[in-house]
Amino acid sequence: IVEQTGGTILAESVLGAGPTFRFSLPRPTGPLEEEAPRPAEPESKVADLTGQGRVLLGEDEDAVRAFASRALANRGYEVLAAASGVEALELFEAAGTVDIVISDVVMPEMDGPTLLRELRARDPALKVIFISGYAEEAFARNLPPSERFSFLPKPFSLKQLVAAVSETLRA
């Protein structure tokens, strides 16, 4: 995040004293704008977050994979969960059809963008959502500009996940 905003990180280590990290961030330019208080939002109807379809989920963190799998299965989706990009590719091959892929950007053995390239070779129209704790711009520059995918930043809520899947499937 520091480097993405144009800052730097300097690390020093002294034997017996431990490491010291110094962060420098760019100074904001221009006048500071105060954000006007937002009016209270009227209560909206609760959206129907149920769905159907086969979801391939590639996520190396056990807790995130379990949370996302349960959340999607409870909303009516069939979930194929993989702990790596290689395992996700194997599940994709065995599944026959997949409606949408949700993939972490950083995974062991094969990262999300590499998985996407492999999957596009097999199904050019496949719908994909990347999930990551990194900013979208940090990995999107490694993909062709014409590449189509959705992005959901971590951490995300159950409602955000299901809404992203529903919206991406409708697009």
Side-chain angles (χ1 to χ4, degrees):
I1 293 172
V2 171
E3 291 175 349
Q4 289 174 11
T5 59
T8 58
I9 302 172
L10 299 174
E12 298 174 10
S13 182
V14 177
L15 189 61
T20 301
F21 297 92
R22 298 182 196 281
F23 300 89
S24 66
L25 298 171
R27 183 179 305 256
T29 58
L32 295 177
E33 297 178 20
E34 289 191 29
E35 190 173 317
R38 293 182 182 181
E41 293 184 20
E43 294 233 0
S44 62
K45 288 178 110 178
V46 176
D48 179 14
L49 296 178
T50 59
Q52 59 185 22
R54 184 176 285 169
V55 178
L56 174 59
L57 171 65
E59 169 59 61
D60 61 318
E61 287 185 56
D62 294 338
V64 176
R65 189 173 60 254
F67 163 78
S69 294
R70 246 188 335 270
L72 293 167
N74 288 339
R75 295 299 189 265
Y77 295 98
E78 178 187 351
V79 181
L80 307 173
S84 71
V86 171
E87 186 181 343
L89 194 56
E90 291 169 356
L91 284 173
F92 182 84
E93 296 287 346
T97 60
V98 171
D99 298 301
I100 188 168
V101 174
I102 303 170
S103 175
D104 192 0
V105 173
V106 179
M107 291 188 292
E109 300 175 356
M110 179 186 297
D111 65 5
T114 304
L115 174 63
L116 176 62
R117 282 190 289 277
E118 292 291 329
L119 294 174
R120 285 282 187 241
R122 291 156 175 81
D123 183 353
L126 189 62
K127 296 179 186 268
V128 175
I129 299 175
F130 279 122
I131 55 177
S132 179
Y134 296 98
E136 181 177 354
E137 296 79 28
F139 70 90
R141 64 178 165 250
N142 296 329
L143 294 169
S146 62
E147 186 59 70
R148 299 170 331 278
F149 61 88
S150 298
F151 181 75
L152 182 61
K154 288 181 183 177
F156 50 82
S157 69
L158 171 135
K159 186 175 181 180
Q160 290 170 319
L161 173 64
V162 176
V165 170
S166 177
E167 182 179 312
T168 303
L169 283 172
R170 281 193 313 261

